[in-house]
Amino acid sequence: MRFAAMLALGLMLTGAAQAQVTDQTRAANAQMSQTLPWADREDEDFASRGFIAQWDQPQIRAADGHVVWDFNAYNFLTPDVPETVNPSLWRQARLLARAGLFQVSDRVYQVRGFDVSNMTIVVGDTGLIIIDPLTSTEVASAALALARRTIGDRPVRAVIYTHSHVDHFGGVRGVVDSAEVAAGNVQIIAPEGFMEHAVTENVIAGNAMGRRATYQFGAGLAPGPEGQMSSGIGLAISAGTFTLIPPTRTISHTGETLTVDGVRIEFQVTPETEAPSEMNFFFPDLGVLCLSENANASMHNILTPRGALVRDAKAWADYLTESLRLYGDRTQVMITSHAWPRFGNDRVRDFIAAHRDAYKYLHDQTVRLMNAGYTDREIAEQVRLPEPLASRWFNRGYYGTMMHNSRAVYQRYMGWYDGNPANLNPLPPAEEGARFVRAMGGEDRVLAEGQRAFDEGDYRWAARVLNNLVFANPQNTAARQLLARTHRQMAYQAESAIWRNMYLSAARELEQGPPQRAASVQSVDLVAATPTSYILDLLAVRLNPERLGARHYAFNLVFPERNERFAVTIANGVLVHERDVTLADAPTITSARATFLQAMATSSMARAVLSGQVRIAGNRRSLEGLGEVFDTPDPNFPIVTP
């Protein structure tokens, strides 16, 4: 009770001081402002060009009434930059907040500012081609409705998914009906490998990635001068219904062409770049090039802070070189999956070349220093873009950063180990923190060093010192409060929107503890599209060997409606499954897959068996206790405390 009372008092005190900005932060932001290319106002033109109309309601709501998107959330973005925001990030957020329907060219329109991503609409001979139907059905439906007020109530003839991330396909049922797709009236076009990666990229590590994504995107942070300031490439992720309709046509190789509703399209496949499955494409009769999420109004992430497989910076640059060669001379307008278009052949070619060079420089110079013996942390302090590239707004670090990306390139080649045996077997954070505190002479001395570093504006060191103290003793309220203040100053200085989000999320969690959000509800479409083998892999990584003990299980699993049969064994702390194999003398569980998954997820297997929804043939007693050996991961596990 004493600690809770102290923390509550601390929250009352720090709550009023959250927006306090130190002299060092003011100086850092002022210095940053002096280095920015303010004379380059090309983006101000491009972000506004072609504006037609905005949505006529302040919010978009779901059927149950909850707010999916709030158009007023970023009304605070005035021309005056507050002390609590990096001036470069403030500029970027203001441009991203320009929401509505925009005409890109004679037959191409975009809806921007309805989600973190864009929806592009191409007018065909008889209907519409939708590119990237946003994250959720509610915003996608509203975006299409807004467009139809200008271009007419034309039917959707095709949907193109540029790549396998949910913010580019999740709203598909808001623009087309699956029956129309099944009837062959609507094509769904995607790059090869789309379904595999769309439904499996986050399956096995989904809980950890989801928790870290709350930090990356600032979930729970209110937009504002002391809060969330966009995601760097878009405002935020809409809070609606995620859906998926599988592709009816996949694009497998560069040079493949299609004519869709009278519109010719040339494709370039770009796997293992921003997404495992991704493609660019060109409309030769319109002079419009779509570079998907391989080109942005910011440097992107080679490794996202939420977690993912490391992307290939060299391949990314090489594909942009190929794009320039294939389409550069013929392009008049370039569109992307986020932010605003580029207009004019010279401006498009200039952008592709300069953006390409940023990724190429990142890769090549990281590898050069790596081969000279520098570690990832040392390289991150050295690799900076040369002035001709750094002075371009679109190469700045609003989303990805040179520091993080250079470490990702290092990790792709070398892994986490830096070659120094002192780092071969380090102590866990709590144990190292305890020894750090002891070596410095106790908690008071560590806190004093953290305060000294904070007062001098040495926030990176203050964070490291205080983090050790918090992990050594998470009940040290003064350390938590000072570390929260430290994170806020770093947030206020951060040019990267997601760095800001992560610092502010950490500060909030130090003061209030981990969030108490419920486990996310999985999209019915995504679950239905996930191969059973991946679901069994997910069960395997949730197997708790301590609960299993010396027990072992063996059974056959049959899903008749999918014509699937699996042999499953659980022993020695591992679950192994094989498709189209039958274990002799083992019980057989037969059920609709959805029923089986629901019973497993809700610990209601016994009830499902008694009701006859799940049938077991053979020795039922050999399956007793099966549901007890799997963990249900906590979606709110602590990050900034032990």
Side-chain angles (χ1 to χ4, degrees):
M1 289 296 293
R2 181 173 177 273
F3 169 65
M6 290 177 63
L7 182 57
L9 177 60
L11 287 176
M12 286 189 289
L13 294 174
T14 59
Q18 285 181 11
Q20 287 186 352
V21 177
T22 64
D23 290 341
Q24 292 87 351
T25 292
R26 290 191 189 92
N29 285 341
Q31 182 178 7
M32 163 72 80
S33 184
Q34 292 175 5
T35 68
L36 295 172
W38 293 114
D40 178 1
R41 298 186 57 80
E42 182 176 83
D43 285 347
E44 278 76 2
D45 171 23
F46 290 168
S48 301
R49 188 180 296 191
F51 175 76
I52 295 173
Q54 60 187 15
W55 191 241
D56 54 7
Q57 299 294 321
Q59 296 172 329
I60 298 173
R61 293 180 178 268
D64 64 3
H66 84 266
V67 176
V68 172
W69 192 255
D70 187 350
F71 290 100
N72 292 330
Y74 294 87
N75 285 351
F76 63 88
L77 287 164
T78 64
D80 296 328
V81 183
E83 295 180 327
T84 52
V85 183
N86 180 290
S88 181
L89 177 57
W90 185 263
R91 168 197 172 275
Q92 181 80 349
R94 291 191 69 216
L95 294 175
L96 292 171
R98 297 181 182 179
L101 175 68
F102 298 80
Q103 184 165 10
V104 175
S105 68
D106 288 344
R107 297 172 66 173
V108 180
Y109 298 79
Q110 279 192 324
V111 179
R112 304 198 291 270
F114 278 48
D115 205 330
V116 72
S117 51
N118 300 333
M119 177 192 289
T120 301
I121 303 167
V122 180
V123 179
D125 288 350
T126 66
L128 305 175
I129 302 168
I130 306 293
I131 303 170
D132 286 352
L134 305 180
T135 309
S136 57
T137 59
E138 294 84 354
V139 291
S141 178
L144 181 57
L146 177 61
R148 280 175 166 159
R149 293 174 188 174
T150 294
I151 60 182
D153 192 15
R154 296 166 175 258
V156 174
R157 297 301 188 197
V159 174
I160 301 177
Y161 302 145
T162 59
H163 60 289
S164 52
H165 291 155
V166 70
D167 52 321
H168 305 278
F169 65 80
V172 63
R173 291 187 187 271
V175 297
V176 295
D177 185 275
S178 57
E180 288 290 294
V181 177
N185 298 326
V186 179
Q187 294 187 68
I188 307 290
I189 304 165
E192 187 173 53
F194 171 86
M195 282 299 292
E196 174 190 355
H197 295 294
V199 303
T200 64
E201 186 177 15
N202 301 333
V203 169
I204 289 181
N207 192 69
M209 286 185 178
R211 176 71 172 101
R212 284 169 53 158
T214 64
Y215 266 51
Q216 177 172 325
F217 293 104
L221 297 176
E226 292 87 46
Q228 193 256 17
M229 284 292 304
S230 85
S231 70
I233 55 173
L235 293 176
I237 299 173
S238 61
T241 307
F242 301 167
T243 59
L244 173 62
I245 300 177
T248 60
R249 174 68 183 265
T250 58
I251 304 301
S252 62
H253 62 273
T254 296
E256 194 167 347
T257 63
L258 285 178
T259 299
V260 180
D261 195 27
V263 179
R264 293 193 300 150
I265 312 174
E266 302 175 13
F267 292 93
Q268 178 198 16
V269 295
T270 62
E272 307 304 329
T273 51
E274 188 275 334
S277 173
E278 189 148 358
M279 63 185 181
N280 302 326
F281 42 92
F282 179 63
F283 299 95
D285 300 321
L286 308 179
V288 175
L289 172 63
C290 177
L291 286 182
S292 304
E293 204 165 330
N294 290 320
N296 294 277
S298 166
M299 174 163 279
H300 212 289
N301 287 295
I302 303 302
L303 175 59
T304 64
R306 66 174 173 84
L309 297 178
V310 181
R311 296 155 182 173
D312 190 339
K314 180 181 182 301
W316 199 323
D318 290 345
Y319 281 124
L320 288 176
T321 297
E322 185 179 59
S323 299
L324 192 59
R325 174 175 56 81
L326 291 174
Y327 314 118
D329 291 342
R330 297 184 287 160
T331 299
Q332 296 304 316
V333 179
M334 185 203 75
I335 57 174
T336 54
S337 297
H338 296 274
W340 43 89
R342 303 273 158 189
F343 298 91
N345 179 261
D346 60 333
R347 307 317 303 146
V348 170
R349 288 187 290 108
D350 170 74
F351 168 85
I352 297 174
H355 208 45
R356 180 270 318 277
D357 288 352
Y359 291 109
K360 190 73 165 62
Y361 186 94
L362 163 74
H363 172 271
D364 294 354
Q365 294 309 306
T366 297
V367 173
R368 179 181 69 84
L369 293 171
M370 178 184 77
N371 283 328
Y374 291 96
T375 67
D376 61 335
R377 291 169 64 182
E378 293 168 333
I379 293 170
E381 294 296 322
Q382 296 184 56
V383 174
R384 298 291 184 272
L385 291 176
E387 181 59 24
L389 298 178
S391 64
R392 309 306 298 272
W393 291 110
F394 49 74
N395 283 337
R396 301 194 71 86
Y398 302 114
Y399 192 51
T401 64
M402 289 293 289
M403 291 189 74
H404 280 182
N405 282 346
S406 62
R407 298 186 72 177
V409 172
Y410 183 97
Q411 179 176 326
R412 183 176 178 88
Y413 286 103
M414 305 300 290
W416 61 268
Y417 176 48
D418 64 4
N420 183 343
N423 299 318
L424 188 61
N425 187 27
L427 293 166
E431 293 184 31
E432 183 170 275
R435 287 162 172 78
F436 180 90
V437 170
R438 185 176 63 194
M440 286 192 65
E443 293 187 18
D444 289 345
R445 290 194 175 185
V446 177
L447 185 62
E449 173 61 14
Q451 185 68 63
R452 182 201 62 77
F454 180 89
D455 292 342
E456 294 179 2
D458 190 1
Y459 301 125
R460 292 173 70 184
W461 176 238
R464 298 296 295 179
V465 168
L466 295 166
N467 185 70
N468 275 301
L469 179 49
V470 168
F471 270 79
N473 179 13
Q475 294 188 348
N476 189 317
T477 307
R480 290 172 68 131
Q481 291 176 357
L482 184 54
L483 182 53
R485 291 172 59 201
T486 301
H487 284 319
R488 282 203 174 86
Q489 295 307 313
M490 291 194 287
Y492 297 159
Q493 293 183 29
E495 183 178 32
S496 167
I498 60 176
W499 282 35
R500 178 185 176 93
N501 290 339
M502 291 183 284
Y503 285 134
L504 292 177
S505 296
R508 181 184 61 179
E509 197 161 313
L510 285 163
E511 295 169 342
Q512 302 177 16
Q516 298 303 312
R517 62 190 178 99
S520 60
V521 177
Q522 296 298 315
S523 161
V524 173
D525 285 343
L526 288 175
V527 172
T530 302
T532 302
S533 61
Y534 283 92
I535 293 175
L536 293 174
D537 285 338
L538 179 59
L539 277 179
V541 301
R542 293 188 175 184
L543 178 65
N544 187 318
E546 284 74 28
R547 293 184 188 176
L548 179 65
R551 289 180 291 178
H552 65 272
Y553 297 93
F555 57 92
N556 301 302
L557 190 58
V558 178
F559 300 131
E561 83 284 6
R562 300 174 67 95
N563 194 29
E564 291 181 340
R565 174 182 290 271
F566 294 86
V568 181
T569 60
I570 304 175
N572 300 319
V574 297
L575 182 154
V576 177
H577 67 272
E578 295 180 276
R579 182 166 182 168
D580 297 329
V581 173
T582 300
L583 298 173
D585 302 322
T588 297
I589 302 173
T590 303
S591 167
R593 194 183 79 160
T595 302
F596 177 82
L597 297 179
Q598 178 70 12
M600 289 293 291
T602 58
S603 301
S604 59
M605 185 63 72
R607 187 162 58 250
V609 171
L610 289 173
S611 69
Q613 293 177 297
V614 175
R615 303 187 304 278
I616 301 178
N619 183 5
R620 292 190 181 187
R621 297 193 63 182
S622 69
L623 299 176
E624 288 182 357
L626 176 61
E628 302 170 359
V629 303
F630 298 101
D631 281 340
T632 299
D634 179 6
N636 303 307
F637 60 78
I639 291 179
V640 291
T641 54

